Amino acid sequence: CAAGSYKSWTGSQDCQLCKAGQYSTTLGATSNAVCAGCPSNTYSTAGAGSEAECTANRGYYMVGSTPTLCPLATYKDTMLNNSAGGCTHCYEGGTTLSAGSISIGQCLCDTGYYKTGSNQCGACALGKYKASKASEGPQSCSSCPSNTYTPATASRLLTDCVCNAGYTGSDGAACSACPAGTYKAATGSASCTDLCPVNTYSTTKGATSNDTCLDCDGNAQSVEGSPRASACKCNVGYSGSDGGACTACVAGRYKDSTGSAWCTKCAVGTYSTSVGATSSDTCVTCPGVTTTSAKGQNELTDCKCNKGYTGPNGGAACVACVGGTYKDAIGSASCPNCPEGTYSASTGLTAAGDCTDCPTNYWSDGGKTVVGECYEIFFTTAEMGQNMPLAGGTNTMTVTLVTNVDFVPSKSTGITITGLSGAVADATIPLSAVSGGNGGELLFGSTASFDTATSTLNMTLVDTLHNGTSYVFSFDVQNPAAAQSAPSISIKANGRISTAQMVTTTPTPTSKRGVAAGSTPLLVFVPEFTERSVRQSHPFVSGSNTLTVTLAPNCDIEAGSRVTVSGLANSNTADDAALAVTSTSGALGTAGVWTQSDGSLVVTVATTLSGGAQYVLTYEVINPTNALDAVYPNVSGQVEAGAIDAPVHSVRMAREDAAAWGMASGTLPFKTVVPTLTTHAIGQSYPAVDSDTEIRATLQMSTDLPKDSRLTITGLTGSQTPDSLGLGAAEDLILYATVGFTAFNNRPVWTQSTGTLVFTAKEDLPMSTTAYVVFFTLKSSATAQDSPSVSMSGTLESGTSDAPMATVTGTKPGTSLVGVPGGADPLLAIVPTFTTRYVAQSSPLASHLNNISVAFLTNINLAHAGASVITLSGFTNHVPSSESVRLNDFQVDGNYSVAGDLFSDGANLGYGKWTRDAIELTVVTSKTMLSNQTYTFWFVVTNPNHILTTPDVKFSATGTAIFLPQAVTSTNDPLLGTAGWAIPGTVVCPAGYYAPTQLGAMANCTLCYRGSYSAAVGTMDISTCTGCPANTDSEPGDTVIADCRCNVGYTGAGAYDCTACSPGTYKDTNGSAACVSCGRGTYSTTSAAVQLEQCLACPLHTDAPVGSDEKTDCICNAGYTGADGKACIACPAGAYKSATGSAACAECGANTYSTALNATTSATCIACDANAQSPAGSPEAVSCTCNAGYTGPDGGACVACGVGEYKKKSGAAACASCDTGKYAASTGSSVCTNCPDSNQDSPSGSTAADNCTCNDGYNGPNGGTCVACVAGTYWVQNATDGYCVDCVGGKYLPTEAAVGDQCVACPTFTDTAGAATGPLTGCTCNAGYTG
């Protein structure tokens, strides 16, 4: 045997190769003991003849003879290519989690890269970074914190994100904007230290240059780094809002501080001409007896003469006012005269009140110096008049005044008019303007007060009454209720300007409201109606009634006055604010206000009613709803007189008494009667349904009937006569009357639904003394009905609203007509009916002779005069011996009648005429077949040769009355042993036959079919042919059940118990043999299967027992899984199934694997390395991965991580050194332990807590607690350790753990009390300084 093989037995067989992964250099080997394993991490094919044939495993390459892991970012997926070049680089941007990767599938995107497709990575964009190795999409690149960015793509760390320009903060953290007033041009973590210069500001946050620093106003200032416009403050001498424009203080003002304060005004009595003044020292005092009128004056001419003095402005000599003058204001104006009504000899007066008043009732012109210059005051004109002399009315008094001096409100308290006897007024009276009166009412504020006790009018002056001007005004009072003569009236002025009492005068008296001298003040006259009467037009209840009123007044009644007619109670007219009226010349208008409750009408006078003239007023109302006696109306009024009208007192009116419409005293107002029909008979001419019948009514009334009145007959319901509008159409219903067409319109309105006829009187009719007969034709109901209840009523024409008549019930005749009881009553309608219609037959058998017996009775007469014919139809295909059919044994009410006495076939008495399937009986000439009598006879026909199962024999008639077809009645007694066969027209088949249903109700008789038997006689359909028992058969014409036997697919002892072969069996012969079972591995779901081919094979990888009857009996074999009845699939690698059925394959347990397919036992599951793990169901060795804390290839041996190392996750990754600040003291660690103190650090790969040392700025033992240098000290390094050093005197350091000398000098003129201090407050003011 060659090297790499062996043969341990004799014979001609081939040498056996060493297994893959082994080699042998021995020739002629006799045992596999010579097969040595390849070195670790190498592999060979079977039959290797030297160690050199052992090549590096996947993930390894050879360095000399040593297998070495492929480096990071490479992989090797073959056993070949022993050189380093055999390791393939991952795609661009790709890496591996550890060395020794065995496939491209272990390549994943490196930090800074993300997955763009299969085996493709892309660099994270600017502003994003990725710190992990993972093949994930672009979402795995994290965005930099706010206001940061990365300078390059493919950034790997958060700290690659640096602050944008204009922002500050730590690398890798969110950056905050530079505050307003600062800026930062560079990127990175530097602070915002650049400030806007003095006299500028910036509101921009995150600024990148001083371009955002804006200048303050030219007259404002700000400090360095100002963050807002309001930091700009106006300079002294300038004013404006903070941050706004600043303007110089104007002359007369100054400002001595910066900011937004207003400029201050110079004081009264001073002035300043300086602009932008910064001090009150610029304000100069006015010279001599001058001063200023206000603060803030800006020139010398603002200094003016004091009160009581006059002269030029600016400080020149000012002189005192002379006698008869004064001056009450500063300035250069001259001194005005003392007011009118005063005098004075003094000089330098400073007010008008310093001048002396003239004596009572005297006055003077202005500027007088002595009392002798004062003169007496009086009225040159004082006249009064009135416009209303009627008692109780509003009276407008007119006053005209002229004086000899000006009456001014400040000097005259008012004017008093006395002697207004009888006048009635409120305590306050308005004063009104009069055309051309120069606004006299305005002199007194358009109002006055009235004292009822003294009959005095008091007016207070509010405006100047100029002398020589005529002022006119008016005021209203109410006249007394009684007549009176004119009283004496006087007038007087009061106050500083006053007069003596004087009597008023009256212009020439004139007539007012028809009253002589009615213009004389407070002359009073009482109005009334001297003529007053009333009559009505119609006395009918609820009808319109025109009332006529005649009136004549004793004085003029002006337009706008009101006249009231009252006492017409019980009217049916509702309240109406605009009831139409007519009057003489329209003097009383066209509408009035009607009030139903008291029956009053109020009209407003449209044109003046002259005293003594007669006026007629008419209006329409609706009469009371009940008959009543007449009422007694009144008349009154209100004469238009302004605010308060003059009353015309209510008095009773005269009534006109005369007959109207046949009623005594019918013109008396509201004497009313209820019209009614005293005669109201109604009947008809014919009582059958669907026929024309004449309706006749006789009418007479309790009163006469006015023209255009309407009479109504209603309740004639059931008629077929359609609606008729009475417009003259050809089809309109026509109304006739015994007096022709002159009394009523002959085209009435007919409403079918309510049976209502409405007709109208063409003229006034004397129906109280004359009876009228009207008649018209209707078509009776199509169905039977009783005579309906008929009522009669109407409406009497009486104007806008017609008067209703009392409704009465029509009087009916109640007599018989054409043999119908009560047939004369209107619209009673019967259906002409055969109330007895009996017919029977003697034989139901096909083709047999059949005697037909007949009996009938009707509910209405049938006469020859109406060509009356009775028809008995429905004898389908029956045949008589001839067309003339003899009527045998003819009887009337059980009595024999002479043959041909009543009926014929049209020629032969006592015969009927046979037409197709029917016999016709014609009433003989001059004869009448009376109602309610029974007629009997019989006749002979031959039955047809087919069945008739639903005969339809009917009676009908035409002629005097039309009888709709009516089904006959018959006996249900058995005929030939079967009930119902006596019904005429019924035909049945003989024994052994049936009537095929597909041939219909008139099928010929046919033999019973194959598979059935029948001994029945009189069969009428196929159901009488009895079928063999289920699953058996027979020959046509068989008559006994024993002839029936089992079919194929069925088994049993005989014809009575054949049952189907059950599913899973079959039978392919007739008879009583047993059914055969389907074989193993097949099934059948079919009942009554007739052949072997109906047994079906089970699906792939399934089996079933013998006789299986459904597909689900086919179940999966061991090692396979799936639903019962369906093809099964093999258990995959990593799973097994030891039983048959539909159960799922069981997974190999965790930490095991299996490569076997369709395994049937758990023995195929192989355990992983002791320090490795795999999920349940693992299908290959590489599913076993090293646990956390252990490393090694997937599917290989796992080694614990050393001290100072850790491995966080399971897998093939190498162990990593502990990060700085951590350590691992034992092997197999999955995490590293943090240093004991948060202010300690340790080198990478530390193995114990002693490796942890305190950070700079802190002191303490290795692995122990670290203490920070306190505020006021800082940390320095010596040769072996570090220590804390105090700040020198005059410096402070507020922070702890400071590294290096960061001490800050105290502010100017401050020092520390000792060598070291922490906070700034430790720096205190030096001696001689404060702050």
Side-chain angles (χ1 to χ4, degrees):
C1 291
S5 66
Y6 64 93
K7 181 167 176 277
S8 57
W9 55 88
T10 61
S12 61
Q13 294 92 339
D14 291 336
C15 298
Q16 182 73 33
L17 297 178
C18 287
K19 293 181 179 179
Q22 295 179 333
Y23 70 94
S24 171
T25 60
T26 304
L27 297 176
T30 60
S31 170
N32 64 359
V34 300
C35 299
C38 285
S40 178
N41 298 319
T42 64
Y43 186 78
S44 68
T45 59
S50 68
E51 184 178 347
E53 293 183 59
C54 294
T55 59
N57 274 347
R58 292 186 300 165
Y60 288 82
Y61 70 97
M62 300 301 288
V63 178
S65 60
T66 303
T68 305
L69 290 171
C70 287
L72 287 173
T74 67
Y75 65 93
K76 180 166 167 281
D77 54 7
T78 69
M79 301 294 186
L80 305 176
N81 296 326
N82 283 329
S83 66
C87 297
T88 304
H89 281 279
C90 291
Y91 37 83
E92 183 179 356
T95 188
T96 58
L97 291 175
S98 61
S101 294
I102 63 173
S103 72
I104 193 173
Q106 290 181 276
C107 294
L108 68 170
C109 293
D110 203 353
T111 56
Y113 288 84
Y114 66 92
K115 185 176 182 179
T116 59
S118 177
N119 299 332
Q120 291 180 329
C121 296
C124 289
L126 291 175
K128 293 181 178 291
Y129 68 94
K130 178 166 169 277
S132 62
K133 296 178 181 180
S135 291
E136 298 174 345
Q139 71 277 6
S140 63
C141 296
S142 301
S143 296
C144 284
S146 58
N147 304 314
T148 67
Y149 81 111
T150 58
T153 60
S155 293
R156 301 171 181 271
L157 300 174
L158 174 61
T159 52
D160 291 338
C161 299
V162 297
C163 292
N164 295 334
Y167 289 81
T168 185
S170 301
D171 292 343
C175 296
S176 56
C178 291
T182 69
Y183 60 93
K184 175 171 166 271
T187 61
S189 59
S191 300
C192 303
T193 56
D194 296 322
L195 304 177
C196 286
V198 295
N199 299 335
T200 69
Y201 69 94
S202 173
T203 60
T204 303
K205 295 180 180 180
T208 60
S209 73
N210 64 1
D211 292 342
T212 61
C213 300
L214 306 176
D215 290 333
C216 292
D217 183 86
N219 295 307
Q221 56 184 282
S222 69
V223 298
E224 187 179 40
S226 293
R228 61 187 68 86
S230 59
C232 297
K233 310 288 186 181
C234 290
N235 296 332
V236 294
Y238 289 83
S239 181
S241 60
D242 291 344
C246 298
T247 56
C249 294
V250 298
R253 301 186 181 218
Y254 64 92
K255 180 165 169 277
D256 55 8
S257 63
T258 61
S260 59
W262 294 100
C263 298
T264 304
K265 294 179 179 179
C266 287
V268 174
T270 69
Y271 67 95
S272 172
T273 58
S274 300
V275 176
T278 60
S279 170
S280 62
D281 294 343
T282 59
C283 300
V284 182
T285 301
C286 286
V289 288
T290 64
T291 188
T292 61
S293 59
K295 296 179 180 180
Q297 302 304 307
N298 58 13
E299 56 185 344
L300 176 61
T301 55
D302 290 331
C303 296
K304 302 175 182 179
C305 292
N306 289 337
K307 295 179 182 180
Y309 290 82
T310 185
N313 295 335
C318 296
V319 297
C321 293
V322 300
T325 67
Y326 69 97
K327 182 163 168 282
D328 56 5
I330 65 172
S332 60
S334 59
C335 300
N337 289 331
C338 283
E340 293 179 348
T342 66
Y343 63 94
S344 176
S346 301
T347 62
L349 299 181
T350 61
D354 294 338
C355 302
T356 304
D357 289 339
C358 287
T360 300
N361 298 337
Y362 282 80
W363 199 247
S364 69
D365 296 331
K368 301 304 179 181
T369 59
V370 294
V371 69
E373 295 180 280
C374 298
Y375 54 87
E376 187 179 3
I377 306 167
F378 59 90
F379 290 100
T380 58
T381 300
E383 295 180 346
M384 289 187 67
Q386 73 175 9
N387 76 333
M388 172 55 65
L390 301 182
T394 298
N395 188 358
T396 300
M397 312 289 288
T398 303
V399 180
T400 303
L401 300 176
V402 182
T403 63
N404 67 334
V405 300
D406 289 349
F407 281 23
V408 295
S410 60
K411 302 297 181 182
S412 177
T413 57
I415 297 174
T416 301
I417 299 176
T418 59
L420 299 171
S421 302
V424 178
D426 292 336
T428 301
I429 300 177
L431 301 182
S432 303
V434 175
S435 177
N438 291 317
E441 78 287 354
L442 300 177
L443 299 174
F444 308 103
S446 300
T447 187
S449 62
F450 184 76
D451 188 340
T452 302
T454 60
S455 300
T456 299
L457 184 73
N458 297 301
M459 299 174 290
T460 301
L461 196 67
V462 297
D463 201 356
T464 301
L465 189 157
H466 296 284
N467 74 86
T469 300
S470 177
Y471 293 95
V472 185
F473 60 90
S474 67
F475 61 91
D476 291 346
V477 297
Q478 183 181 2
N479 285 337
Q484 72 174 22
S485 300
S488 175
I489 302 172
S490 61
I491 189 169
K492 180 183 184 301
N494 304 302
R496 174 64 188 84
I497 299 177
S498 60
T499 66
Q501 191 85 27
M502 62 179 291
V503 176
T504 61
T505 60
T506 302
T508 303
T510 59
S511 175
K512 292 289 185 181
R513 300 293 180 99
V515 178
S519 65
T520 305
L522 292 177
L523 173 67
V524 179
F525 180 82
V526 177
E528 63 180 3
F529 289 107
T530 55
E531 182 179 352
R532 47 193 182 273
S533 65
V534 63
R535 69 183 300 274
Q536 72 175 8
S537 63
H538 290 86
F540 308 128
V541 297
S542 299
S544 293
N545 189 0
T546 299
L547 299 174
T548 302
V549 177
T550 303
L551 300 171
N554 68 342
C555 63
D556 293 349
I557 298 179
E558 296 288 330
S561 299
R562 296 175 303 284
V563 176
T564 301
V565 177
S566 60
L568 294 165
N570 301 316
S571 165
N572 208 26
T573 298
D575 292 353
D576 191 343
L579 184 70
V581 302
T582 60
S583 60
T584 304
S585 301
L588 292 169
T590 59
V593 178
W594 168 259
T595 302
Q596 182 181 22
S597 58
D598 61 358
S600 65
L601 176 73
V602 180
V603 294
T604 301
V605 176
T607 59
T608 300
L609 305 182
S610 300
Q614 186 183 74
Y615 297 88
V616 177
L617 170 70
T618 61
Y619 59 96
E620 185 179 274
V621 295
I622 300 174
N623 280 337
T625 55
N626 300 315
L628 298 172
D629 288 334
V631 297
Y632 289 90
N634 298 319
V635 66
S636 59
Q638 294 287 328
V639 180
E640 173 59 40
I644 302 175
D645 294 341
V648 179
H649 296 292
S650 178
V651 292
R652 178 165 291 183
M653 303 175 68
R655 305 181 302 173
E656 182 178 334
D657 188 349
W661 301 103
M663 176 181 171
S665 299
T667 60
L668 291 180
F670 281 9
K671 181 175 178 61
T672 52
V673 65
V674 179
T676 187
L677 286 168
T678 55
T679 299
H680 36 84
I682 187 166
Q684 72 172 358
S685 63
Y686 189 65
V689 298
D690 211 26
S691 304
D692 288 341
T693 181
E694 181 182 273
I695 306 298
R696 180 174 292 255
T698 302
L699 309 172
Q700 189 170 358
M701 288 180 60
S702 61
T703 65
D704 292 342
L705 186 69
K707 178 184 177 183
D708 295 329
S709 295
R710 293 174 302 284
L711 295 179
T712 301
I713 301 174
T714 190
L716 293 169
T717 54
S719 162
Q720 297 185 69
T721 301
D723 291 354
S724 178
L725 300 178
L727 300 178
E731 64 273 14
D732 277 357
L733 184 148
I734 299 177
L735 178 75
Y736 299 91
T738 53
V739 292
F741 292 149
T742 60
F744 302 100
N745 67 314
N746 66 333
R747 290 291 193 273
V749 176
W750 164 254
T751 303
Q752 180 185 14
S753 61
T754 58
T756 301
L757 185 79
V758 180
F759 51 99
T760 305
K762 296 173 67 175
E763 58 188 19
D764 292 343
L765 300 179
M767 289 190 69
S768 61
T769 56
T770 303
Y772 289 80
V773 178
V774 296
F775 50 95
F776 52 93
T777 300
L778 298 176
K779 188 170 184 179
S780 63
S781 170
T783 58
Q785 69 171 29
D786 293 334
S787 175
S789 176
V790 180
S791 61
M792 302 179 184
S793 61
T795 55
L796 278 64
E797 174 60 41
S798 54
T800 304
S801 180
D802 292 343
M805 293 173 57
T807 300
V808 296
T809 301
T811 303
K812 302 177 184 179
T815 58
S816 294
L817 185 64
V818 291
V820 178
D825 291 348
L827 289 184
L828 180 142
I830 65 164
V831 177
T833 302
F834 291 92
T835 53
T836 297
R837 48 188 182 278
Y838 177 86
V839 182
Q841 68 181 9
S842 63
S843 174
L845 300 179
S847 302
H848 283 59
L849 288 177
N850 190 0
N851 295 338
I852 308 298
S853 299
V854 180
F856 66 87
L857 177 150
T858 65
N859 64 348
I860 191 170
N861 298 346
L862 283 172
H864 172 77
S868 299
V869 177
I870 295 175
T871 300
L872 181 59
S873 62
F875 292 99
T876 304
N877 293 334
H878 289 62
V879 180
S881 59
S882 68
E883 185 178 275
S884 292
V885 179
R886 179 173 179 80
L887 309 181
N888 300 292
D889 295 333
F890 190 90
Q891 298 181 39
V892 178
D893 282 343
N895 298 314
Y896 282 96
S897 172
V898 177
D901 184 50
L902 188 61
F903 297 110
S904 76
D905 60 3
N908 302 302
L909 300 178
Y911 283 80
K913 181 180 180 180
W914 188 266
T915 60
R916 181 174 176 80
D917 303 333
I919 184 170
E920 294 180 350
L921 310 178
T922 301
V923 177
V924 175
T925 303
S926 75
K927 297 292 184 178
T928 297
M929 192 201 79
L930 299 178
S931 65
N932 300 312
Q933 292 186 352
T934 300
Y935 301 86
T936 60
F937 57 88
W938 59 272
F939 61 93
V940 181
V941 294
T942 300
N943 290 336
N945 189 26
H946 59 76
I947 66 168
L948 284 173
T949 58
T950 55
D952 188 21
V953 179
K954 295 181 178 179
F955 273 103
S956 62
T958 59
T960 305
I962 295 175
F963 290 64
L964 297 177
Q966 292 176 271
V968 302
T969 61
S970 189
T971 178
N972 201 37
D973 293 339
L975 180 62
L976 298 182
T978 302
W981 284 2
I983 297 173
T986 300
V987 180
V988 298
C989 294
Y993 288 79
Y994 74 98
T997 56
Q998 63 270 28
L999 299 181
M1002 297 172 60
N1004 291 329
C1005 296
T1006 304
L1007 282 173
C1008 288
Y1009 57 89
R1010 176 187 175 91
S1012 69
Y1013 63 94
S1014 174
V1017 177
T1019 266
M1020 293 190 66
D1021 58 47
I1022 195 170
S1023 64
T1024 59
C1025 295
T1026 303
C1028 283
N1031 310 313
T1032 65
D1033 198 9
S1034 69
E1035 297 297 328
D1038 282 350
T1039 60
V1040 295
I1041 194 170
D1043 294 330
C1044 300
R1045 57 196 179 126
C1046 294
N1047 292 331
V1048 294
Y1050 292 83
T1051 187
Y1056 299 99
D1057 60 354
C1058 294
T1059 58
C1061 292
S1062 62
T1065 66
Y1066 66 95
K1067 177 170 168 279
D1068 54 8
T1069 61
N1070 290 327
S1072 59
C1075 299
V1076 181
S1077 296
C1078 290
R1080 179 184 175 88
T1082 66
Y1083 69 95
S1084 174
T1085 59
T1086 304
S1087 293
V1090 298
Q1091 57 186 353
L1092 174 64
E1093 287 75 9
Q1094 289 176 279
C1095 297
L1096 306 177
C1098 283
L1100 187 65
H1101 303 309
T1102 65
D1103 197 8
V1106 172
S1108 292
D1109 59 0
E1110 55 185 15
K1111 190 175 183 180
T1112 54
D1113 291 337
C1114 300
I1115 60 175
C1116 293
N1117 296 329
Y1120 292 85
T1121 185
D1124 292 344
K1126 294 185 178 180
C1128 298
I1129 59 174
C1131 292
Y1136 64 93
K1137 178 165 168 277
S1138 55
T1140 61
S1142 60
C1145 298
E1147 292 183 330
C1148 287
N1151 305 328
T1152 68
Y1153 69 95
S1154 172
T1155 60
L1157 297 175
N1158 55 277
T1160 61
T1161 174
S1162 62
T1164 59
C1165 301
I1166 302 170
C1168 294
D1169 183 89
N1171 295 308
Q1173 58 181 291
S1174 69
S1178 293
E1180 55 184 343
V1182 293
S1183 301
C1184 298
T1185 59
C1186 291
N1187 295 334
Y1190 290 82
T1191 185
D1194 292 343
C1198 298
V1199 179
C1201 294
V1203 292
E1205 294 181 327
Y1206 74 101
K1207 180 165 164 277
K1208 188 174 183 179
K1209 297 180 180 179
S1210 63
C1215 299
S1217 295
C1218 288
D1219 293 338
T1220 59
K1222 298 185 177 185
Y1223 66 94
S1226 59
T1227 61
S1229 296
S1230 60
V1231 294
C1232 296
T1233 306
N1234 291 325
C1235 284
D1237 193 290
S1238 61
N1239 295 307
Q1240 286 176 336
D1241 202 0
S1242 65
S1244 175
S1246 293
T1247 61
D1250 288 347
N1251 298 138
C1252 298
T1253 59
C1254 291
N1255 293 334
D1256 292 353
Y1258 294 83
N1259 292 314
N1262 292 346
T1265 301
C1266 297
V1267 179
C1269 291
V1270 299
T1273 68
Y1274 59 91
W1275 188 85
V1276 295
Q1277 177 75 49
N1278 59 16
T1280 60
D1281 204 349
Y1283 58 96
C1284 299
V1285 179
D1286 290 339
C1287 290
V1288 300
K1291 292 189 176 184
Y1292 69 98
L1293 181 59
T1295 59
E1296 294 182 341
V1299 178
D1301 187 356
Q1302 300 181 36
C1303 301
V1304 182
C1306 285
T1308 306
F1309 306 124
T1310 66
D1311 201 352
T1312 58
T1317 184
L1320 174 61
T1321 54
C1323 297
T1324 58
C1325 290
N1326 294 337
Y1329 290 85
T1330 185

